[in-house]
Amino acid sequence: MSQEKYDLIVIGSGPAGYSAATRAIDFKKSVCIIEANHLGGAGIMNGALTSKTMWELSKDFNIASSVNRGYRASGLFADYKQVQKTIIQAAKQKQLQMLSQIETFSESTDTHGSMCLKYGWANFVDSHTIEIDKNGTKERITGDNIIIATGARPRKMPDIEIDQERIIDSDGIMNLKEFPERMIIIGSGIIGCEYATIFSNYNQTEVHLLDRQHKVIPYEDDDVSDFVSKGLEKNGVIIHHTANLRTIRKRSDCLEVVLDYQDGHSKVIEVDVAVVAVGRIPNLDNLGLENVNIKTTERGYLDINEACAIDNFKSCNIFAAGDVSGHAQLYSVGELQGRFIVEALYGNLEFPLDYSNMSTLMFFKPAVAAVGLNEKACKSQNIPYKVATYSNSLINRAIAMRASDGFVKIIVSDDGENRILGMRAAGPQASTLITSIAYQISQKGTLKDIRKNVHPHPSISEGVQECLRVFEGKSIYKPQAFPDFIKLESWKPDSKVEKSLKVKK
Ligand SMILES: Cc1cc2nc3c(=O)[nH]c(=O)nc-3n(C[C@H](O)[C@H](O)[C@H](O)COP(=O)(O)OP(=O)(O)OC[C@H]3O[C@@H](n4cnc5c(N)ncnc54)[C@H](O)[C@@H]3O)c2cc1C
């Protein structure tokens, strides 16, 4: 039987795989995308888009329920089934757009290549041949180049059986029949804190959040994690810091959760649903990697070089992008890598792959955005820095929105150059604020490069402008008048202590 042959085979239709495929048609290549489950991967279903839709809906509900805006809504009630329906509509909308594009490019022309989508489980037969198993029906296709973009799945916990009904992970959120009365979320990373925000926004669930350490999102600076903790607690979330999950006992009418705290005491709480959110692991099982002699790293990821090629593969026609690559598990990283591989293969690369300006958005209340280095990273890399923080409480637009909880925090190098190293923003439009600083980081910009930019009024981005002015003692509102709202500090490797900088008059 003759095998279909493609220029490029992409395994996985998530952000990494789909972006690679769509870029390859620009180079007039024939591409086959293989997908075992949901089109769009975790970028759409049980992941980025569905969780963000739920966050947006919950935010609207939370604002509608608030009492500080001159109105008081009565009888507000959110029906989980209807919320679910809206989330599925959003996911379907995106999947249909993806499908429409695949159909549009089903045949190649003089100006573009072609794309096709095959459903089924892909595994390597050899370095150019993939077998696709669709419910037992097998088909083999060949490709000059192959990209592994198979993403990641929720990590399991030893001895905790995920039934996706009462004990669920992020793949099971859409299985819930109603808002649970009581829920515990195990894991206080971004996904755990996002779901804690979403369910507490609806105010129909008593939400417990289990934080093994002293701080939620522990990789961020303490001021950022404290801000997030306070926001969650203000929203009604009960955070169990320094608590380990010992076991979950399934009772007929509830789950009995046993928590062991670091100080030695234990606590048993009753909930209706437990959400396990303890990280994600790469999808590399049953992919036939042994047939092409590809080994994984100690952490279980694929070892890729700077061209995203599998390092230990001699002929180098196999590449990896997205969550399997061991880089930050972000939609934008997957897209960046997927497109980069194709540009490296078929085009002229305009820039090396640069991860330094990848932003992370955290959908809490309020949202938090992060790009570049934080103080912890500077300290661990012995980089002298100055850090300015400016509260949204002083920003007119935030005041007008009645949403002044939040801040802008910018870090610059303390070496005479004032290079922009990183930023954290919390509050409304944090995701938009971060992009200008991300650009400066990628351009190796300095305070001098950025300060000429005038921000419009009234905008949340005036916080960025004011924060930058703080470094030079030129802000309109002064730290001396608002010590709780404006801060300027510095750190040097030898000093080992932070000190407040003297603010110029
Ligand atoms: C709840 C949640 C919220 C998130 N929110 C955000 C966010 O706000 N911002 C952000 O940047 N990132 C977010 N992420 C992360 C983001 O979704 C992932 O980083 C991104 O989807 C990774 O893309 P990918 O293409 O590598 O893999 P995926 O999106 O996981 O896609 C991989 C695809 O490969 C398929 N596949 C696997 N094995 C095979 C096989 N053998 N054969 C055929 N197909 C196969 C899978 O079915 C899947 O569809 C979130 C993730 C989750 C779970």
Side-chain angles (χ1 to χ4, degrees):
M1 203 175 73
S2 74
Q3 290 175 2
E4 287 173 16
K5 185 177 179 318
Y6 297 90
D7 294 319
L8 180 66
I9 296 175
V10 179
I11 311 176
S13 68
Y18 191 74
S19 67
T22 57
R23 191 73 182 102
I25 58 169
D26 298 339
F27 292 99
K28 302 186 189 172
K29 301 296 170 191
S30 60
V31 191
C32 179
I33 308 170
I34 308 168
E35 175 52 57
N37 201 347
H38 297 290
L39 181 61
I44 310 278
M45 201 58 97
N46 299 328
L49 183 62
T50 47
S51 66
K52 260 71 279 181
T53 310
M54 199 172 178
W55 180 81
E56 290 288 356
L57 299 176
S58 77
K59 182 165 67 85
D60 292 349
F61 183 88
N62 195 267
I63 292 175
S65 327
S66 59
V67 291
N68 64 344
R69 314 180 84 80
Y71 58 76
R72 196 177 278 252
S74 64
L76 267 185
F77 174 75
D79 176 4
Y80 197 75
K81 286 251 159 60
Q82 292 304 317
V83 171
Q84 245 172 355
K85 210 168 141 188
T86 314
I87 296 169
I88 296 295
Q89 273 168 2
K92 275 265 167 267
Q93 185 178 343
K94 193 72 228 172
Q95 286 177 325
L96 289 176
Q97 289 169 357
M98 294 175 74
L99 268 181
S100 300
Q101 178 152 268
I102 292 170
E103 293 300 339
T104 304
F105 291 99
S106 58
E107 300 287 339
S108 61
T109 68
D110 291 347
T111 54
H112 59 73
S114 65
M115 267 199 285
C116 76
L117 170 67
K118 289 182 189 284
Y119 280 104
W121 186 265
N123 68 81
F124 281 91
V125 176
D126 59 45
S127 61
H128 290 282
T129 313
I130 297 290
E131 184 170 82
I132 307 165
D133 183 341
K134 189 179 181 190
N135 304 323
T137 308
K138 294 186 178 168
E139 174 190 5
R140 286 185 178 192
I141 60 172
T142 59
D144 292 338
N145 291 293
I146 298 173
I147 300 178
I148 304 172
T150 48
R153 61 181 183 278
R155 186 192 300 280
K156 293 200 172 7
M157 293 184 82
D159 305 325
I160 303 292
E161 189 210 337
I162 304 285
D163 60 22
Q164 296 298 22
E165 281 183 16
R166 293 202 288 166
I167 305 180
I168 64 175
D169 54 30
S170 58
D171 286 352
I173 295 283
M174 300 301 286
N175 294 353
L176 296 177
K177 306 269 182 299
E178 56 193 2
F179 282 105
E181 270 177 39
R182 301 158 300 178
M183 162 185 270
I184 185 162
I185 299 171
I186 298 141
S188 59
I190 297 181
I191 292 181
C193 291
E194 276 188 5
Y195 280 119
T197 305
I198 290 169
F199 282 93
S200 58
N201 272 349
Y202 280 113
N203 207 15
Q204 279 164 224
T205 303
E206 177 185 287
V207 182
H208 296 260
L209 180 68
L210 195 61
D211 169 25
R212 273 200 317 166
Q213 314 194 25
H214 292 273
K215 306 267 177 203
V216 300
I217 51 162
Y219 27 82
E220 283 299 338
D221 290 336
D222 289 354
D223 53 350
V224 176
S225 23
D226 288 346
F227 178 83
V228 172
S229 280
K230 268 194 208 135
L232 286 165
E233 282 167 346
K234 224 162 113 183
N235 226 26
V237 177
I238 302 155
I239 307 181
H240 301 265
H241 291 290
T242 69
N244 266 306
L245 175 72
R246 189 197 306 169
T247 190
I248 302 177
R249 296 183 199 123
K250 277 182 163 177
R251 304 291 183 217
S252 56
D253 58 341
C254 70
L255 299 172
E256 236 173 52
V257 182
V258 185
L259 306 177
D260 294 328
Y261 290 78
Q262 264 172 31
D263 65 4
H265 82 283
S266 302
K267 191 187 250 179
V268 183
I269 59 169
E270 274 188 7
V271 295
D272 305 294
V273 169
V275 183
V276 175
V278 292
R280 291 175 66 79
I281 55 165
N283 284 328
L284 294 169
D285 303 340
N286 305 320
L287 196 57
L289 293 183
E290 62 289 355
N291 298 335
V292 279
N293 196 25
I294 292 175
K295 298 200 172 51
T296 55
T297 62
E298 252 174 50
R299 289 172 58 226
Y301 292 89
L302 291 174
D303 196 6
I304 58 170
N305 62 22
E306 64 286 353
C308 295
I310 305 291
D311 235 351
N312 60 1
F313 194 78
K314 352 183 223 343
S315 56
C316 237
N317 74 315
I318 302 180
F319 301 81
D323 284 1
V324 286
S325 72
H327 286 269
Q329 293 187 331
L330 292 172
Y331 195 110
S332 47
V333 169
E335 273 192 355
L336 182 81
Q337 292 175 324
R339 290 166 62 85
F340 179 87
I341 292 167
V342 170
E343 284 161 12
L345 272 172
Y346 308 123
N348 290 320
L349 274 185
E350 283 168 19
F351 49 85
L353 196 48
D354 176 11
Y355 298 97
S356 68
N357 65 341
M358 302 311 302
S359 308
T360 303
L361 305 180
M362 297 170 245
F363 290 79
F364 308 151
K365 186 188 169 197
V368 176
V371 68
L373 301 181
N374 60 13
E375 291 185 70
K376 278 185 181 165
C378 289
K379 283 176 183 161
S380 70
Q381 294 172 40
N382 279 327
I383 300 171
Y385 66 86
K386 291 182 279 187
V387 53
T389 310
Y390 199 93
S391 167
N392 282 2
S393 301
L394 295 168
I395 302 300
N396 290 12
R397 182 65 182 276
I399 292 172
M401 293 170 86
R402 313 308 296 138
S404 46
D405 249 4
F407 58 85
V408 169
K409 172 179 173 180
I410 297 176
I411 300 182
V412 302
S413 63
D414 193 7
D415 53 0
E417 281 192 45
N418 291 323
R419 263 178 312 113
I420 313 283
L421 299 177
M423 168 169 162
R424 300 297 178 269
Q429 301 165 17
S431 57
T432 319
L433 294 190
I434 211 91
T435 48
S436 62
I437 295 294
Y439 176 74
Q440 289 302 329
I441 292 173
S442 71
Q443 299 301 304
K444 313 232 174 314
T446 64
L447 272 183
K448 206 168 130 213
D449 299 319
I450 196 170
R451 70 171 173 221
K452 290 190 201 120
N453 191 16
V454 178
H455 293 245
H457 179 83
S459 65
I460 296 288
S461 73
E462 284 173 284
V464 176
Q465 177 171 261
E466 273 283 88
C467 191
L468 292 166
R469 288 172 180 157
V470 169
F471 286 107
E472 297 175 318
K474 294 178 181 169
S475 54
I476 292 172
Y477 290 91
K478 308 292 182 194
Q480 294 89 334
F482 297 99
D484 292 341
F485 294 159
I486 308 173
K487 291 193 168 61
L488 180 63
E489 286 165 343
S490 74
W491 181 88
K492 278 202 165 52
D494 50 357
S495 69
K496 296 277 186 258
V497 282
E498 283 160 65
K499 54 178 185 201
S500 286
L501 287 184
K502 224 175 155 192
V503 179
K504 267 196 266 170
K505 295 243 168 67

